[in-house]
């Protein structure tokens, strides 16, 4: 009971941190509007929705890397599936669902479904691999998805829905509308995303991940991470629980991708390349493997930091400063005394998933 209560307190603290940050920013925006004094710059406002998406990405990837203990380098692939499927769904639902929040929610659900399908397609054959082999295959998957989307053409005309993998075969009527235009990506997208939607998605992600981690299935997943042979010896189904964690992670990444794609008027596949997967992995590692709270804080701070540095005279050195900050954080988190101190606020690294 003490363990359950501790997990519950830690979970509610995560909800509290996210809610407090959302409320603080909303209050600042309201005061700014009333007194007409810049409290939250336009640059920072433009980063709010993407920051929410990257927080969801980091928490969901931590489910695979920190809780399951498998290295995945193709998380951006699931995000891209969610982004483009969500954009297409939003366009097709424009007339049937004029209410923007509902259409955004449905588009995110579609993105999550496509992300989950991608997780199943990759997970069933790949999760039998381990270590470097799994990392390489997931990396390849992300690149395959990016390259497919770069040659994908999707549109609608009087004859219905059209999909093609080359411009020559994309026989769209003159009065039709192209939704995805190959290398140009999705253009003319109606921007539906909002900071409130990002906040709700983070709460849903925390609800899903924390309940899974603290459930019987979550304990089975962590048992596989700690000692696969011992877990199998007591009857734990390796494929089932690995796939459960992997698909859940992919679905949440797909929902984040849909929100991300609907935040811009145009989206290209290059936004979801290998660098994006590595960036999210950096958030997870710096926040602490298995630490949900650490992923939230690391993703929020490290995503916003490089963009905020643009506003100062040292903007040309922003990436150098960002790299130095990463190095210092890694050195600090490998200091035993400092690690013990930080661990009281952000539960430890691997194995701390149930606590934070």
């Amino acid at each position: 009971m003490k363990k359950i209560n501790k997990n519950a307190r830690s979970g509610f603290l995560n909800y509290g941190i996210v809610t407090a940050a959302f409320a603080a920013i909303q209050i600042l925006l309201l005061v700014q509007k009333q007194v007409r004094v810049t409290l939250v710059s336009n640059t920072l406002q433009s980063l709010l929705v993407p920051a929410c998406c990257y927080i969801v990405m980091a928490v969901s990837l931590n489910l695979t890397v920190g809780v399951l203990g498998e290295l995945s380098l193709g998380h951006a692939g699931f995000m891209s599936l969610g982004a483009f499927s969500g954009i297409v769904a939003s366009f097709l639902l424009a007339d049937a669902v004029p209410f923007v929040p509902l259409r955004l929610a449905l588009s995110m659900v579609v993105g999550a479904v496509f992300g989950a399908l991608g997780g199943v397609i990759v997970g069933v054959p790949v999760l039998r691999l381990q270590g470097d082999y799994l990392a390489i295959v997931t990396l390849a998957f992300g690149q395959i998805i990016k390259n497919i989307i770069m040659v994908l053409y999707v549109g609608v005309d009087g004859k219905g829905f059209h999909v093609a993998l080359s411009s020559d075969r994309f026989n769209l009527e003159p009065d039709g509308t192209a939704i995805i235009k190959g290398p140009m990506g999705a253009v003319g997208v109606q921007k539906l995303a909002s900071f409130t939607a990002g906040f709700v998605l983070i709460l849903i992600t925390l609800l899903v991940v924390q309940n899974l981690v603290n459930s019987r299935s979550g304990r089975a997943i962590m048992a596989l991470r700690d000692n696969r042979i011992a877990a199998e010896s007591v009857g734990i189904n390796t494929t089932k629980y690995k796939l459960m964690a992997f698909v859940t992670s992919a679905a949440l990444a797909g929902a984040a991708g849909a929100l991300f794609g609907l935040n811009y008027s145009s989206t290209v596949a290059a936004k979801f390349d290998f660098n994006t997967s590595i960036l999210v992995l950096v958030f997870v590692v710096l926040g602490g493997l298995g630490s949900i709270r650490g992923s939230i804080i690391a993703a929020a701070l490290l995503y916003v930091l490089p963009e905020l540095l643009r506003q100062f005279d040292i903007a040309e050195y922003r990436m150098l400063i960002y790299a130095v900050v990463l190095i210092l954080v890694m050195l600090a988190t490998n200091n035993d005394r400092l690690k013990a101190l930080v661990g009281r606020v952000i539960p430890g690294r691997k194995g701390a998933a149930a606590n934070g």
Side-chain angles (χ1 to χ4, degrees):
M1 289 300 295
K2 290 182 179 179
K3 183 68 173 178
I4 294 175
N5 292 336
K6 184 178 180 180
N7 293 337
R9 288 196 302 269
S10 181
F12 282 120
L13 180 58
N14 292 339
Y15 294 128
I17 291 173
V18 173
T19 304
F22 174 76
I25 293 174
Q26 292 288 52
I27 291 172
L28 289 175
L29 291 174
L30 181 61
V31 172
Q32 174 176 291
K33 186 176 180 181
Q34 296 294 330
V35 301
R36 297 183 179 180
V37 176
T38 302
L39 300 174
V40 182
S41 66
N42 292 332
T43 300
L44 183 56
Q45 290 184 49
S46 68
L47 297 177
L48 292 177
V49 173
C52 291
C53 296
Y54 278 106
I55 288 173
V56 173
M57 288 288 290
V59 173
S60 62
L61 182 59
N62 210 344
L63 182 59
T64 298
V65 178
V67 180
L68 179 59
E70 299 290 356
L71 180 59
S72 173
L73 297 180
H75 212 52
F78 303 121
M79 188 181 189
S80 65
L81 284 175
F84 288 97
S85 62
I87 289 171
V88 172
S90 172
F91 182 86
L92 296 178
L93 292 172
D95 295 331
V97 186
F99 185 53
V100 170
L102 179 58
R103 182 154 35 112
L104 175 61
L106 293 175
S107 300
M108 289 166 64
V109 170
V110 171
V113 170
F114 274 82
L117 288 175
V120 172
I121 293 172
V122 177
V124 170
V126 168
L127 288 177
R128 300 179 185 277
L129 304 175
Q130 292 181 343
D132 297 340
Y133 299 103
L134 176 63
I136 292 171
V137 173
T138 54
L139 169 62
F141 166 76
Q143 294 300 107
I144 290 171
I145 292 299
K146 186 190 76 170
N147 290 322
I148 289 176
I149 293 175
M150 289 185 69
V151 298
L152 181 66
Y153 291 82
V154 178
V156 179
D157 60 17
K159 294 182 179 180
F161 190 66
H162 295 264
V163 179
L165 292 178
S166 69
S167 57
D168 297 336
R169 299 180 180 179
F170 190 51
N171 301 317
L172 197 66
E173 296 288 327
D175 61 341
T177 302
I179 306 172
I180 301 177
K181 298 181 178 180
M184 294 177 62
V187 296
V189 179
Q190 182 182 0
K191 295 190 285 186
L192 306 179
S194 65
F195 182 42
T196 301
F199 165 68
V200 173
L201 181 59
I202 293 175
L203 292 184
I204 293 173
T205 301
L206 290 177
L207 180 66
V208 171
V209 174
Q210 290 180 163
N211 278 280
L212 175 59
V213 169
N214 295 322
S215 68
R216 180 179 180 180
S217 297
R219 291 190 290 273
I221 292 170
M222 287 185 284
L224 290 170
R225 176 199 66 195
D226 295 335
N227 193 317
R228 181 179 59 84
I229 296 175
E232 289 177 343
S233 69
V234 295
I236 293 178
N237 189 324
T238 303
T239 303
K240 171 186 174 181
Y241 289 108
K242 279 189 174 185
L243 194 62
M244 181 185 298
F246 196 74
V247 172
T248 302
S249 175
L252 293 172
L259 181 66
F260 186 88
L262 292 170
N263 187 54
Y264 300 99
S265 58
S266 63
T267 302
V268 295
K271 288 185 178 181
F272 310 100
D273 59 4
F274 172 68
N275 293 327
T276 302
S277 294
I278 294 299
L279 178 64
V280 178
L281 182 61
V282 168
F283 296 156
V284 173
V285 173
L286 291 183
L289 295 179
S291 174
I292 297 173
R293 190 175 310 139
S295 294
I296 296 172
I297 296 173
L301 294 180
L302 295 178
Y303 176 73
V304 172
L305 178 62
E307 301 301 327
L308 290 182
L309 290 175
R310 288 179 183 270
Q311 302 180 30
F312 301 98
D313 295 333
I314 56 174
E316 62 269 26
Y317 303 109
R318 63 189 182 87
M319 295 312 295
L320 176 60
I321 295 173
Y322 180 68
V324 171
V325 169
L326 293 182
I327 294 172
L328 292 177
V329 171
M330 289 303 297
L331 292 175
T333 52
N334 281 280
N335 182 289
D336 292 336
R337 293 182 179 179
L338 184 59
K339 189 188 299 184
L341 178 62
V342 174
R344 298 175 185 175
V345 180
I346 304 176
R349 292 188 173 275
K350 192 170 182 178
N355 297 330

